[in-house]
Amino acid sequence: MALFIILALLNGVCIGLSRVINGRLSVSLNAMKASYWNHLIGFIFLSILLFIVNINQEAFYLPQKAPLIAFADGIIGVLFVALNSLVFPKLGATRTTLLVVSGQMMVGVMLTLSGQTLIKMLCNLAGVALILLGIFLNKTQQDKP
Amino acid sequence: MKITEQCTLMTHASSLLAVSAGGLLTLMILLNSQLGQYSSPLTASWIAHGVGAGFAGVVLLCKYSQRRASVPNNTVNTPIWAYLGGAPGAFTVVLAAITVNSPLGIAGSLSLMLMGQTLFGLICDTRGWMGTPQRCLSLKDIMPVLCILGGSLLIIFSPE
C-alpha cells in the first residue's frame, strides 16, 4: 500500500516536473512550441512503452468504436500545455499549480452537478467555496508589495 | 498605464488563464478516459500525444508561413533537458493506471497527485528553481494551499 502511495505522490511530482520543464522551454521559444515538443517527446516515449508492453501479446486495440469527439483530447491537451507554459514563468510554481488545480476541481464539480444527493452537493459546494477562498488569499498575499 | 498597474493586470490575466487551463484539463481527462475505455489508458494517451503533436505542428507551420522573418528564438541557450518535458508528462499515464487500479482507487490517487503537485511546486518556489525568486514560506503562503487542498479533498471524498 505504501508503494502505491509513493507512486501516486510521484505522479504528482511528474506532473509538476513537466510543468517546470515546459515552462522553461516556453521562455526560450514560445508556449506553442513548448506544447509541440511536449507532445512529440511524449508520443515517442509512449510508443516505446507501448512496444514493450505489447511485445508478447497480439492484443493491441485501437479505439475504433470510441466517439469521434474523444479524439479531440489531443487538441485540448495542446492548448492545456501551451496555457500552462505561458503562465508558469509569470506566476511561479505554487501559484500556477494551485490555480490549475482549482480550475480542474471546479469544472469537475460542475460536470457532475446533476443527479447528486444533497450531502454530496453540499460537500461539493463547500469544497468549491474553500477553493475560491484559497485563490482569494493567494491573490491578496502575492499582490502585496 | 503605470508599470505596476500593467504588472497587476498581467498577473490577473495569467491567473484567469491558469484556472481555465485547469478546466481544460478536466475536459481532456474526460475525453481521454473515453478513449481509454475502448482501448487502454496507454493507447489513449499515445493517440492523444500523437494527435496533439500533429495539431501543434500544423499550428506552428501556419504561424511560420504567415511571417517571413521568424520570431527570434533563443535556441542557443536552451538546455537539452528543457525539451524533455513530455517524458514525465507521459509517464503520469503509467503511474495513474497503476495507482487507480490499486487499493487507492481514483479518489486516493487524485488526492495524492494533488498533494504531490503542490508539494513539488512549493519546493520549487522555495529553492528558486526556474528563475522564480526564492521566497521563504510564511503562514500566509500556506493558507491558500491548505484551503485549496482542503476544498479539493472535500470534493473528492464527498459521500455519495
Side-chain angles (χ1 to χ4, degrees), chain B residues 38-117:
Chain B
Y38 288 94
S39 54
S40 81
L42 211 56
T43 312
S45 190
W46 175 72
I47 294 178
H49 277 82
V51 168
F55 175 69
V58 165
V59 169
L60 286 172
L61 277 177
C62 287
K63 277 167 71 170
Y64 177 69
S65 65
Q66 271 179 3
R67 316 184 209 189
R68 279 283 137 195
S70 54
V71 180
N73 295 330
N74 197 3
T75 42
V76 183
N77 291 331
T78 315
I80 294 287
W81 59 258
Y83 286 89
L84 299 179
F91 193 50
T92 64
V93 179
V94 178
L95 290 176
I98 297 175
T99 57
V100 165
N101 291 317
S102 77
L104 281 177
I106 296 185
S109 303
L110 204 54
S111 37
L112 284 170
M113 275 162 59
L114 292 184
M115 285 189 227
Q117 274 181 70

Side-chain angles (χ1 to χ4, degrees), chain A residues 47-93:
Chain A
S47 305
I48 298 174
L49 267 185
L50 265 182
F51 182 70
I52 296 176
V53 163
N54 287 313
I55 203 164
N56 290 326
Q57 305 160 9
E58 308 289 334
F60 167 70
Y61 298 114
L62 277 176
Q64 290 145 334
K65 298 217 179 93
L68 208 58
I69 190 76
F71 287 89
D73 62 349
I75 298 177
I76 299 185
V78 166
L79 291 175
F80 170 72
V81 176
L83 274 179
N84 234 310
S85 313
L86 188 65
V87 303
F88 186 92
K90 297 193 171 69
L91 297 176

Side-chain angles (χ1 to χ4, degrees), chain A residues 7-37:
Chain A
L7 286 183
L9 284 173
L10 185 65
N11 203 346
V13 170
C14 280
I15 296 174
L17 199 57
S18 77
R19 251 182 217 134
V20 172
I21 300 178
N22 288 327
R24 173 66 184 85
L25 191 62
S26 86
V27 164
S28 291
L29 306 176
N30 65 45
M32 187 53 77
K33 287 189 186 173
S35 189
Y36 169 73
W37 279 104

Side-chain angles (χ1 to χ4, degrees), chain A residues 1 4-5 7-25 28-29 32-33 36-43 45-47 49-50 53 60-63 65-67 69-71 73-80 83 86-88 90-95 97-105 107-109 111 117 119-120 123-124 126-128 130-131 133-135 137-139 141-144, chain B residues 10-12 14-15 17-19 21-32 34-35 38-39 42-53 55-57 59-60 63 73-75 77-79 81-92 94-96 98-99 102-104 109 112-118 120-122 124-125 130 132 135 138 140-141 143-145 147-148 150-152 154-156 158-160:
Chain A
M1 179 67 164
F4 294 121
I5 294 180
L7 286 183
L9 284 173
L10 185 65
N11 203 346
V13 170
C14 280
I15 296 174
L17 199 57
S18 77
R19 251 182 217 134
V20 172
I21 300 178
N22 288 327
R24 173 66 184 85
L25 191 62
S28 291
L29 306 176
M32 187 53 77
K33 287 189 186 173
Y36 169 73
W37 279 104
N38 173 284
H39 282 79
L40 187 66
I41 298 291
F43 183 70
F45 183 80
L46 286 168
S47 305
L49 267 185
L50 265 182
V53 163
F60 167 70
Y61 298 114
L62 277 176
K65 298 217 179 93
I69 190 76
F71 287 89
D73 62 349
I75 298 177
I76 299 185
V78 166
L79 291 175
F80 170 72
L83 274 179
L86 188 65
V87 303
F88 186 92
K90 297 193 171 69
L91 297 176
T94 310
R95 197 160 185 191
T97 307
L98 288 181
L99 289 170
V100 171
V101 162
S102 307
Q104 201 179 335
M105 299 306 303
V107 171
V109 163
L111 287 177
T117 62
I119 299 181
K120 190 167 174 72
C123 281
N124 279 343
V128 169
L130 259 182
I131 289 177
L133 177 65
I135 296 178
L137 286 176
N138 186 267
K139 266 177 133 49
Q141 165 64 7
Q142 294 218 232
D143 285 345
K144 284 202 182 100
Chain B
M10 179 95 87
T11 315
H12 286 320
S14 302
S15 306
L17 285 177
V19 174
L24 277 181
L25 179 62
T26 302
L27 194 57
M28 190 186 87
I29 294 176
L30 199 65
L31 293 177
N32 200 33
Q34 281 192 339
L35 272 189
Y38 288 94
S39 54
L42 211 56
T43 312
S45 190
W46 175 72
I47 294 178
H49 277 82
V51 168
F55 175 69
V59 169
L60 286 172
K63 277 167 71 170
N73 295 330
N74 197 3
T75 42
N77 291 331
T78 315
W81 59 258
Y83 286 89
L84 299 179
F91 193 50
T92 64
V94 178
L95 290 176
I98 297 175
T99 57
S102 77
L104 281 177
S109 303
L112 284 170
M113 275 162 59
L114 292 184
M115 285 189 227
Q117 274 181 70
T118 315
F120 182 76
L122 284 171
C124 258
D125 273 345
M130 258 296 298
T132 50
R135 300 166 45 201
S138 65
K140 293 200 173 174
D141 286 312
M143 276 306 295
V145 174
C147 281
I148 292 180
S152 304
L154 204 53
I155 293 173
I156 294 172
S158 56
E160 293 293 337

